[in-house]
Amino acid sequence: MAHSKNNSSVLNKNLLILHLTVFIWGFTGILGALISVNAVQLVWYRVLIATISLFFYFKFGKKALQITRQNFLKLFFTGGLVGGHWILFFASIKLSTVPVTLVCLSSMTLFTAILEPIFNKTRISKLEIIAGLLIITGIILIFKFETQYTKGIIAGLLSALFASIFSIINSKQVKQIEPAVISFYELIGAFFWATIYLFSQADSTRLCF
């Protein structure tokens, strides 16, 4: 009886996390659609605020931030993928709609099912491939009837690809480094690469200050 209650409690907790995750993704998308700045500027501000917040979290929590130079470089360059993922995510929203972007993002399942075995040298999961193909079928149907969103769909799919790659990389890193530390150094990388991109553009010196 106690075992059954424990299972029920775990299930309810997982369902709550699932609903909360869906809400956060949806709400983030809505905010991205409403904010007037372009996708790169939006991500620049986002990662700047997140990096500063995490820095104070470590400073006042007196938590260690030390990692090896090799791990720093891995996380720093992975941050480029994180930044690219968010830029493409918000670009997809602005080029299409929030629902279209979120559907495209679900293709991460297929990308992960294909790429994870390549990175980790394991067998491909047929079940995940089937699930991913069903998602892609849904995207194709959207693409068929919503051809005006072609650029948004492409951006959404690339965003999902980037998310899949950095998630696979992080699944290895998390075995050695705390998740919060991983996030901090990846955000630094994302901020750096987003800044480089902005300053390579003609009007990049104006970050809406």
Side-chain angles (χ1 to χ4, degrees):
M1 190 74 171
H3 181 69
S4 177
K5 286 183 179 179
N6 287 336
N7 285 341
S8 178
S9 176
V10 171
L11 178 61
N12 289 335
K13 181 182 178 182
N14 289 337
L15 285 172
L16 179 62
I17 292 171
L18 175 62
H19 287 300
L20 184 62
T21 303
V22 171
F23 171 77
I24 290 171
W25 273 109
F27 193 66
T28 300
I30 291 168
L31 287 177
L34 293 175
I35 295 172
S36 59
V37 299
N38 69 43
V40 182
Q41 290 171 336
L42 184 58
V43 170
W44 191 88
Y45 285 114
R46 179 190 180 95
V47 295
L48 175 62
I49 293 168
T51 303
I52 293 171
S53 300
L54 269 177
F55 174 77
F56 283 114
Y57 165 77
F58 283 109
K59 183 176 177 61
F60 292 112
K62 296 181 179 179
K63 296 180 180 292
L65 270 172
Q66 290 83 5
I67 57 172
T68 65
R69 184 172 179 272
Q70 185 181 13
N71 283 333
F72 169 77
L73 290 173
K74 284 180 182 178
L75 297 177
F76 183 76
F77 285 105
T78 303
L81 292 172
V82 176
H85 158 68
W86 282 115
I87 289 168
L88 289 163
F89 174 75
F90 289 116
S92 178
I93 289 169
K94 292 179 182 296
L95 291 168
S96 58
T97 65
V98 174
V100 168
T101 299
L102 293 179
V103 169
C104 289
L105 202 63
S106 64
S107 66
M108 182 179 165
T109 302
L110 178 60
F111 290 128
T112 302
I114 295 171
L115 295 174
E116 191 167 29
I118 295 173
F119 277 83
N120 298 332
K121 297 179 181 179
T122 57
R123 293 182 63 183
I124 293 176
S125 168
K126 292 180 181 178
L127 186 61
E128 289 183 356
I129 291 290
I130 292 170
L133 289 173
L134 289 173
I135 292 167
I136 291 296
T137 302
I139 293 170
I140 291 170
L141 290 174
I142 292 173
F143 183 81
K144 182 178 179 180
F145 296 107
E146 305 287 354
T147 52
Q148 72 271 31
Y149 298 143
T150 301
K151 290 182 179 179
I153 290 170
I154 292 170
L157 291 173
L158 287 173
S159 175
L161 175 61
F162 280 27
S164 174
I165 295 172
F166 80 70
S167 295
I168 294 168
I169 293 171
N170 284 351
S171 69
K172 290 185 176 182
Q173 293 295 325
V174 79
K175 295 175 183 176
Q176 307 172 42
I177 309 168
E178 273 190 57
V181 176
I182 290 173
S183 296
F184 179 72
Y185 287 110
E186 286 184 348
L187 285 170
I188 289 175
F191 178 76
F192 174 82
W193 297 114
T195 302
I196 292 295
Y197 177 82
L198 278 172
F199 279 96
S200 70
Q201 303 304 300
D203 60 345
S204 59
T205 53
R206 295 178 298 161
L207 292 173
C208 299
F209 290 124

